[in-house]
Amino acid sequence: MYVIIGASGNTGSVVAKTLLGLNQKVRVVGRSQGRLQALTSEGAEAAIADVYDAPALAKAFTGARAVYAMIPPNMTSENYRGDQDRATKAIADAIRQAGVEYAVSLSSVGADKPSGNGPIAGLHHLEQTLNQIPGLNVLHLRPGYFMENLLAQIGVIQTMGITAGPLLADLKI
């Protein structure tokens, strides 16, 4: 059994669909049944849990061979870093309690640095926390960018033929 946090999101849904396509047992974690419907209709088992709820996550993780762990971004949070730390604690506590042996964490380029990297510091904390769980074999994915980040710029791209963002013009991504 593979358990996917953020299964209705951009990366989690791809992980879940890929595993389902390989005829693997998949449990998808989300805040509502409705958001998970597309995956349950493909054969996934739903687990309703909030990423801050360690007991609910532990229940979802029970029996899992591996967990895809990530902190869903909450850009409207008044305490973004605090929320990242709460999610990290809940995920780590649940992994420990459920006795999960393998995890893949969605992190980011820059997570090797503990500070000076904005919200990526929370992903550094996630990595360090998961690394300290005895017996857990964890792989941290550190992508540099997601194409989905360009979706908000579709109008600018179509109208002006450029992208806009806080990146140097000659930066290769």
Side-chain angles (χ1 to χ4, degrees), residues 15-112:
V15 173
K17 288 177 185 176
T18 299
L19 290 168
L20 288 167
L22 295 170
N23 295 316
Q24 298 297 313
K25 289 186 176 185
V26 176
R27 185 176 297 142
V28 292
V29 179
R31 291 175 297 221
S32 73
Q33 183 72 35
R35 291 182 56 112
L36 300 173
Q37 183 61 43
L39 294 167
T40 57
S41 68
E42 292 184 37
E45 175 188 327
I48 308 306
D50 190 282
V51 75
Y52 306 114
D53 186 345
L57 288 176
K59 183 178 176 186
F61 295 173
T62 298
R65 181 173 197 283
V67 169
Y68 177 73
M70 53 94 65
I71 302 173
N74 181 1
M75 299 308 199
T76 61
S77 173
E78 292 181 18
N79 184 4
Y80 193 87
R81 277 291 295 115
D83 286 347
Q84 285 178 308
D85 289 349
R86 283 190 323 130
T88 292
K89 181 175 179 355
I91 292 166
D93 288 351
I95 285 173
R96 277 190 206 94
Q97 185 177 340
V100 175
E101 292 183 54
Y102 298 93
V104 174
S105 75
L106 179 60
S107 187
S108 175
V109 163
D112 58 310

Side-chain angles (χ1 to χ4, degrees), residues 107-112 117 120 123 141-145:
S107 187
S108 175
V109 163
D112 58 310
N117 50 6
I120 295 171
L123 300 176
L141 302 178
R142 292 182 178 168
Y145 200 76

